[in-house]
């Protein structure tokens, strides 16, 4: 079943076209990796899927569960089951992290017409989840992302995923700032979620995380479009020959 379909997508930001004729199909329960040089359009793609207003679709369609979502708000896409982890999440002083997780989770549950958690029930659920992440309980008492290290922000994103249970999970450099043990731990969580038919688009520059993931397809983006798709062997080819060589061969 195709969960996400992108057709002939053109996207501009500040009057500059970044994505050009980009096509992508992602089936339910798959892990897709997006790689490419800096400025190639990787983060633009993720933010466009999430509905960021700064990124304007000038041509093409994004379909999620067979519905065109080009004009959906960020909030509606999130409630429909699209989650994005940014490269560097913003810090919000004064907003308690645990309270943020509580309100976010209940907002999704309310939309899905599920019973909402009371606060103490939710707190117990959170403490069960953080044991899987080597996550310090002290982070729950702090303001959202405020003073968090890069690795702590990434763990907080994974905690959100475990609580919100989205259908499509977009991770932009989730492995940045993590040591090898935490990379293995997060990869294990992603693989387990895949078994539950959760779907991932993961943007990364690093090979370490890929060694531990059950990947379906790797896509190379350059100059705003996907120039090559393949299996894990594509990583080594790209590493040896570079993105430009992949593009020329594809053409």
């Amino acid at each position: 079943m195709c969960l996400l379909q992108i057709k002939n997508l053109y996207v501009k930001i500040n009057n500059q076209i970044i994505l050009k004729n980009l096509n992508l199909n992602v089936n339910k329960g798959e892990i897709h990796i997006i790689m490419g040089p800096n400025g190639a359009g990787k983060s633009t793609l993720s933010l466009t899927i999430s509905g960021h207003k700064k990124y304007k679709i000038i041509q093409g369609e994004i379909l999620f569960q067979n519905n065109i979502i080009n004009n959906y708000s960020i909030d509606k896409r999130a409630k429909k089951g699209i989650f994005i982890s940014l490269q560097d999440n913003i810090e919000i002083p004064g907003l308690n992290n645990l309270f943020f997780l509580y309100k976010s989770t209940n907002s999704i549950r309310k939309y899905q017409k599920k019973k909402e958690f009371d606060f103490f029930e939710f707190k117990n659920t959170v403490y069960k989840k953080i044991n899987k992440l080597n996550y310090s309980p002290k982070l729950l008492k702090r303001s959202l992302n405020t003073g968090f290290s890069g690795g702590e922000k990434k763990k907080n994103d994974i905690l959100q995923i475990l609580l919100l249970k989205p259908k499509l999970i977009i991770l932009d450099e989730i492995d940045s700032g993590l040591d090898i043990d935490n990379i293995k731990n997060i990869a294990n969580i992603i693989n387990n979620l895949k078994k539950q038919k959760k779907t991932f688009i993961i943007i990364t520059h690093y090979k370490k995380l890929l060694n531990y993931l059950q990947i379906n397809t790797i896509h190379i983006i350059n100059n705003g479009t996907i120039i090559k798709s393949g299996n894990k062997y594509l990583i080594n080819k790209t590493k040896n020959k570079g993105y430009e060589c992949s593009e020329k061969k594809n053409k």
Side-chain angles (χ1 to χ4, degrees):
M1 174 185 172
C2 189
L3 184 71
L4 177 75
Q5 187 174 23
I6 299 176
K7 299 180 179 179
N8 306 317
L9 188 66
Y10 287 76
V11 173
K12 71 176 182 179
I13 177 173
N14 299 329
N15 295 317
Q16 181 181 359
I17 297 175
I18 304 298
L19 300 183
K20 308 160 190 173
N21 193 30
L22 190 143
N23 294 274
L24 178 66
N25 290 334
V26 181
N27 293 324
K28 184 177 179 181
E30 292 185 341
I31 296 177
H32 287 240
I33 305 297
I34 304 289
M35 302 184 78
N38 291 332
K42 303 184 299 298
S43 293
T44 296
L45 175 61
S46 66
L47 290 165
T48 301
I49 296 171
S50 74
H52 196 298
K53 291 182 179 180
K54 192 175 180 180
Y55 298 85
K56 305 295 183 183
I57 297 175
I58 57 176
Q59 187 176 323
E61 294 176 341
I62 301 176
L63 290 88
F64 182 67
Q65 295 183 307
N66 295 319
N67 295 309
I68 298 173
I69 63 170
N70 287 31
N71 297 319
Y72 283 17
S73 66
I74 292 177
D75 180 64
K76 187 171 183 179
R77 296 185 200 207
K79 288 177 177 177
K80 289 289 184 182
I82 298 175
F83 176 91
I84 180 171
S85 165
L86 302 173
Q87 284 187 30
D88 188 15
N89 290 322
I90 60 171
E91 300 183 2
I92 307 181
L95 176 59
N96 176 263
N97 187 30
L98 181 60
F99 182 74
F100 164 77
L101 295 169
Y102 171 65
K103 296 298 288 185
S104 299
T105 302
N106 271 348
S107 177
I108 297 295
R109 293 180 70 86
K110 183 178 180 180
Y111 181 82
Q112 296 172 344
K113 297 181 180 179
K114 294 180 180 179
K115 180 185 175 183
E116 296 178 48
F117 288 114
D118 68 55
F119 185 75
F120 294 103
E121 179 186 12
F122 177 76
K123 189 174 180 180
N124 289 333
T125 299
V126 170
Y127 273 84
K128 290 178 183 177
K129 300 290 186 186
I130 63 175
N131 290 330
K132 300 178 182 179
L133 289 169
N134 190 25
Y135 180 109
S136 172
K138 293 180 181 179
L139 297 178
L140 296 172
K141 301 177 182 179
R142 291 164 57 179
S143 295
L144 180 61
N145 292 322
T146 304
F148 285 26
S149 67
E152 288 170 341
K153 288 180 180 180
K154 302 302 182 184
K155 289 180 183 180
N156 211 49
D157 281 340
I158 296 296
L159 178 58
Q160 286 183 64
I161 292 167
L162 295 175
L163 293 167
L164 301 179
K165 301 179 181 179
K167 297 170 183 173
L168 174 64
I169 301 156
I170 304 169
L171 305 176
D172 196 345
E173 298 195 21
I174 192 67
D175 46 353
S176 177
L178 297 179
D179 60 29
I180 191 64
D181 288 334
N182 281 310
I183 286 174
K184 288 180 180 179
N185 190 28
I186 285 178
N188 185 52
I189 291 170
I190 292 172
N191 288 331
N192 285 333
L193 288 170
K194 180 186 178 184
K195 293 176 184 176
Q196 301 170 32
K197 296 300 182 181
K198 302 301 182 184
T199 306
F200 289 85
I201 295 175
I202 301 174
I203 297 169
T204 184
H205 287 287
Y206 308 106
K207 186 180 175 183
K208 286 182 180 179
L209 176 64
L210 308 187
N211 292 331
Y212 307 105
L213 290 176
Q214 298 167 4
I215 297 167
N216 291 92
T217 310
I218 295 174
H219 308 278
I220 306 298
I221 287 186
N222 203 5
N223 296 321
T225 194
I226 293 176
I227 60 171
K228 192 81 173 175
S229 298
N231 56 26
K232 281 191 175 184
Y233 294 107
L234 185 59
I235 304 171
N236 294 327
K237 290 180 182 179
T238 302
K239 183 177 179 181
N240 294 330
K241 298 181 179 180
Y243 296 113
E244 294 296 336
C245 290
S246 295
E247 182 173 22
K248 289 176 183 177
K249 185 176 180 180
N250 191 53
K251 287 181 180 179

